[in-house]
Amino acid sequence: MIQWQKSTYSGGAAGNECVELAYSERELLLRESDDPARILPVTRTGLAGLLRHLGADLR
């Protein structure tokens, strides 16, 4: 069974959708909490690139 983890920045109130991350045997998985049926498999390198890109947008 896959266990999804939600960011600590996400609140528990309605309307606080976020991206969730899980690890399967072969890959990392991403999904948006308001549409959990859509799952995006990513590599570690791909996820690292996404996080770098998002972090650069915050600077």
Side-chain angles (χ1 to χ4, degrees):
M1 183 171 149
I2 296 174
Q3 292 187 318
W4 294 94
Q5 294 185 353
K6 189 181 286 193
S7 169
T8 57
Y9 288 103
S10 299
N16 287 340
E17 292 82 12
C18 70
V19 174
E20 298 174 325
L21 178 67
Y23 178 75
S24 74
E25 294 177 13
R26 298 179 309 267
E27 59 202 352
L28 296 168
L29 304 170
L30 291 177
R31 72 179 184 183
E32 191 170 340
S33 62
D34 67 341
D35 189 7
R38 289 185 170 211
I39 298 172
L40 176 65
V42 295
T43 64
R44 290 177 188 256
T45 304
L47 179 59
L50 173 64
L51 295 174
R52 273 194 307 276
H53 178 76
L54 293 173
D57 285 348
L58 295 175
R59 292 184 206 140

